[in-house]
Amino acid sequence: MATTSTIGVTAPGIAAKAAEKAPRAPFITAASLRGMAANLIPPVVVMIAFLVIWELLCSRPGAGLPPPSRVVTEAWDIIVNPFYDNGGTDKGLFWHISASIQRVALGFALATVVGILVGTLIGQSDWAMRGLDPIFQVLRTIPPLAWLPLSLAAFRDGQPSAIFVIFITSIWPIIINTAVGIRNIPQDYRNVSAVLQLNPIEFFSKIMLPSAAPYIFTGLRIGVGLSWLAIVAAEMLIGGVGIGFFIWDAWNSSHISEIIVALVYVGVIGFILDRFVAFIGNLVTRGAAA
Amino acid sequence: MTYLSIENVGISFTRNGRTNEVLRDVSVKIARGEFVSLIGHSGCGKSTVLNIVAGLLKASTGVVLLEDKEVNSPGPDRAVVFQNHSLLPWLTVRENVSLAVDKVMKGRKTKAERNEWIDHNLALVNMTHAAERRPNEISGGMKQRVGIARALAMEPKVLLLDEPFGALDALTRAHLQDSLMEIHGRLGNAVIMITHDVDEAVLLSDRIVMMTNGPSATVGEILKVDLERPRRRLELVEDPTYTHARAEVLEFLYARHAKPAVAA
Ligand SMILES: Nc1ncnc2c1ncn2[C@@H]1O[C@H](COP(=O)(O)OP(=O)(O)OP(=O)(O)O)[C@@H](O)[C@H]1O
Ligand SMILES: [Mg+2]
């Protein structure tokens, strides 16, 4: 501002332009820095406090769990080498995690396709909705692992059984939310489609899916969370490569520090999956909530 | 030379075993290019009449004939501008219009011709500047204009308007009434418009159909409005034909068929 006013005497036009632009010029302003700090400082402070308390509590002799300092030194190998592969199940965390994510991706993708189709069919009919809703409400409360023996009996193999557990765990919220979304399609949109004489396929893709999308994504978000809960537990039982098995294996070899590192990974991946689905949902449903 | 004929239409709804007759013996004949308003108290069954003509509801008795053919399902030859615009919120203004154009004009026009037709209709209602915006980013008046553009773009034989300007402020409303008159003058579609506004009815219509109160509502009286077109609202204020028509409608609505006091 001070500079523009001195130029202003000789070249008022330029000065006015410079003054106009001035507020936009700096990318990082003091205000935006303060805003960032306000968001960053509390979690960092809480995190440090948590680690300090943990360190203090677990440093005394006879403590059941290792303090964070020992976790880092003991598990240093697996922290810095996530990509090693010694064959069999002796692999870095990256490989375990990616095996788990693949199972979730497959089971969840199946659940998404089947769940949306079934939800759409059910949402169309009052009768089906009334008849099936109580059954779904019961089925959806069955804990994921309770399905495992049944699916092992059916598939006689760990891999498809784990995927089936993901599928059956995550499909209920998808079906239920899709059906509710379809039922809530405003009569107005149906009228528009009737006047335009949309055929059933056009109606499905151009009216039903977009209109029900916010509901569908609520279901998908719940579903992906449940999938991740289920896969860790299922892998503990079926073995093979996977983060659940890794944790179970570490427990059997009393590597508590490795378990703690693995838990951090599980938490972070679960968080990322949730945010990923929410992000896609925001992209797709942009504007749909008018 | 009847173009659209509503003949002895009646409809009853049955709910919880109780039958409720909403319309009885509604008959109106409309000529090509004629602008007809439907006026009556809230709940008498105006939207129901319009939905029957649109084919969205089935009449229990009577028929609707368009060019001597029975109307029994919805179709783009009877485009509707709904009471609450009903644009699809996930589509932009342009996409809302193009959904209709691409569906209705497919096979008749090439892709390029359709695009041009979409632009033409958006320009008709002065919405070109906001074509890429979504419905929740534009004002109520603009939404209503897009709804009208979408309906006009189908090149309907009959344009059905359900209180198209009901939710708008007086200035926007006057502006859109003028656009509608101008567009109607140019295209010459037959129009049925529902309204609550006596001035709007007189200003825009060739004839005003006044409905009695429900249940079993029917056509009470049909008033012909003999005013030259194009009409200009300022010149009409003192016009004896205008004031007389206005008085007739008011008399019908508030003296002879006053809304029964709501018992509650
Ligand atoms: N699908 C339906 N089932 C049962 N009753 C209905 C149905 N549609 C309309 N009605 C009844 O028909 C009557 C007329 O409704 P309609 O919507 O046509 O009134 P309207 O004249 O358009 O009112 P408004 O001016 O408030 O829009 C109302 O009493 C309403 O309850
Ligand atoms: Mg109505």
Side-chain angles (χ1 to χ4, degrees), chain A residues 267-279:
Chain A
V268 170
I269 301 288
F271 176 78
I272 291 174
L273 286 178
D274 179 66
R275 281 307 147 104
F276 177 69
V277 174
F279 173 74

Side-chain angles (χ1 to χ4, degrees), chain B:
Chain B
M1 47 158 291
T2 304
Y3 188 57
L4 176 76
S5 173
I6 304 171
E7 297 186 355
N8 308 101
V9 162
I11 192 168
S12 306
F13 295 104
T14 307
R15 189 177 279 164
N16 303 331
R18 283 175 53 190
T19 301
N20 175 20
E21 186 180 47
V22 172
L23 297 175
R24 174 188 291 175
D25 239 355
V26 173
S27 295
V28 184
K29 293 191 190 312
I30 295 167
R32 187 188 291 267
E34 196 178 14
F35 196 120
V36 172
S37 286
L38 218 53
I39 199 164
H41 289 288
S42 184
C44 72
K46 304 182 294 294
S47 295
T48 308
V49 173
L50 205 76
N51 283 335
I52 292 172
V53 176
L56 294 165
L57 284 175
K58 281 224 181 317
S60 318
T61 60
V63 283
V64 176
L65 300 174
L66 176 58
E67 291 186 308
D68 297 325
K69 278 198 290 286
E70 186 175 347
V71 159
N72 43 24
S73 65
D77 56 343
R78 281 151 291 126
V80 189
V81 176
F82 295 96
Q83 203 159 356
N84 42 2
H85 72 76
S86 58
L87 300 177
L88 304 176
W90 54 88
L91 299 179
T92 63
V93 162
R94 192 169 203 289
E95 288 165 343
N96 265 288
V97 178
S98 81
L99 177 71
V101 170
D102 287 345
K103 176 68 191 171
V104 176
M105 305 272 159
K106 199 164 201 109
R108 269 196 277 158
K109 283 182 157 92
T110 66
K111 183 81 198 144
E113 284 170 337
R114 275 181 276 160
N115 279 334
E116 208 171 296
W117 180 240
I118 295 164
D119 291 335
H120 169 77
N121 279 282
L122 285 175
L124 203 62
V125 295
N126 282 323
M127 283 300 297
T128 310
H129 65 287
E132 300 310 322
R133 292 209 236 151
R134 282 168 206 278
N136 60 352
E137 297 162 349
I138 60 179
S139 70
M142 290 160 104
K143 282 182 223 178
Q144 229 30 288
R145 283 185 352 221
V146 179
I148 293 172
R150 176 173 66 184
L152 288 174
M154 300 176 207
E155 288 192 314
K157 293 175 176 164
V158 184
L159 183 61
L160 303 170
L161 304 152
D162 193 346
E163 290 187 47
F165 313 131
L168 304 176
D169 65 277
L171 282 175
T172 313
R173 175 187 269 254
H175 181 74
L176 289 184
Q177 287 165 350
D178 291 342
S179 323
L180 181 60
M181 273 196 286
E182 194 261 328
I183 292 168
H184 174 248
R186 232 177 324 147
L187 304 183
N189 309 62
V191 180
I192 304 180
M193 180 182 75
I194 295 178
T195 180
H196 274 136
D197 181 336
V198 178
D199 285 296
E200 179 169 280
V202 178
L203 178 66
L204 294 178
S205 317
D206 297 311
R207 282 185 303 153
I208 302 174
V209 174
M210 294 173 260
M211 291 186 59
T212 61
N213 292 322
S216 309
T218 188
V219 175
E221 198 175 310
I222 299 184
L223 179 76
K224 199 160 169 51
V225 184
D226 257 328
L227 288 169
E228 296 257 318
R229 290 181 188 274
R231 299 174 181 172
R232 266 177 266 282
R233 66 179 66 242
L234 285 180
E235 293 163 13
L236 290 178
V237 177
E238 314 251 304
D239 187 299
T241 317
Y242 181 88
T243 42
H244 178 251
R246 198 173 174 279
E248 289 258 323
V249 180
L250 287 172
E251 150 93 9
F252 178 92
L253 287 178
Y254 300 107
R256 278 184 287 148
H257 294 272
K259 178 108 188 133
V262 184

Side-chain angles (χ1 to χ4, degrees), chain A residues 118-135:
Chain A
V118 173
T120 305
L121 288 179
I122 291 170
Q124 309 262 23
S125 143
D126 270 343
W127 202 90
M129 190 78 180
R130 272 191 224 121
L132 290 170
D133 193 59
I135 301 176

